[in-house]
Amino acid sequence: MGRKKVDALTAPRAARLYRLITLLGAGPQTRAALLRRLKLDVRGFYRDLEALRGLGIAVAAGDDTKYALAGAVDDALAKLPF
């Protein structure tokens, strides 16, 4: 499947995507914990997940609404457009 176009990234969103990748790379995280740590609402969280997936960064959703990076952190960070 090809990459989707990702909207232009603002500096705060770019920083948040970087932080989201590092949090997910540390191991499975609940959605609630990620929302708290990133200071996001549910809608913003899913927009950021879609942005990561649009960049070709796989995020696995597991049981109990836990999310984890499906791959290496360094590989995911290399796909960020900055």
Side-chain angles (χ1 to χ4, degrees):
M1 189 190 291
R3 289 184 181 187
K4 294 181 181 177
K5 181 182 178 287
V6 177
D7 295 332
L9 293 177
T10 62
R13 187 169 193 207
R16 194 173 61 243
L17 291 178
Y18 178 90
R19 184 145 189 247
L20 178 55
I21 289 171
T22 59
L23 289 170
L24 293 171
Q29 307 279 327
T30 64
R31 182 178 57 216
L34 291 167
L35 293 176
R36 231 181 0 261
R37 294 179 86 180
L38 297 169
K39 297 181 175 134
L40 278 176
D41 60 14
V42 173
R43 186 174 177 181
F45 173 73
Y46 284 113
R47 284 183 178 168
D48 283 356
L49 276 184
E50 185 63 28
L52 291 180
R53 290 175 175 149
L55 292 167
I57 300 168
V59 177
D63 297 334
D64 302 324
T65 66
K66 286 190 178 180
Y67 295 83
L69 194 61
V73 173
D74 290 339
D75 293 340
L77 292 175
K79 292 180 181 180
L80 291 175
F82 52 88

